[in-house]
Amino acid sequence: MKHEIKVVEVTAEIAEDYLRGNHDNRRLRMPTVHKYAADMVAGRWMLSTDMIGFDTTGRLIQGQHRLTAVVVAEGEKP
């Protein structure tokens, strides 16, 4: 089994593309999304060990809140 890990700057367009593979994930909690988006807009978002994860079919299995926040933050930039 091959694993690939890399650091990628995710734009709103990339986030939207990744979110197309978001099926059968837990319910999206918008208060969490808005908190993350506010942190991103304010420059408080930091690189961490939390990653965006996909299964072998391309289904998003980790990161739906962070990716949705990227899209929301793009709409909140001045």
Side-chain angles (χ1 to χ4, degrees), residues 10-30 33 36-37 40 51-54 57-74:
V10 177
T11 64
E13 293 79 21
I14 292 170
E16 288 172 341
D17 186 47
Y18 288 171
L19 285 164
R20 284 189 205 34
N22 189 23
H23 308 287
D24 303 318
N25 212 324
R26 65 183 172 173
R27 187 173 55 94
L28 196 63
R29 294 178 317 278
M30 290 311 291
V33 169
Y36 291 172
M40 291 172 186
M51 61 183 97
I52 307 299
F54 302 91
T57 68
R59 181 176 70 96
L60 179 69
I61 57 173
Q62 178 70 23
Q64 70 172 346
H65 287 85
R66 285 169 280 141
L67 290 169
T68 304
V70 170
V71 175
V72 170
E74 183 64 29

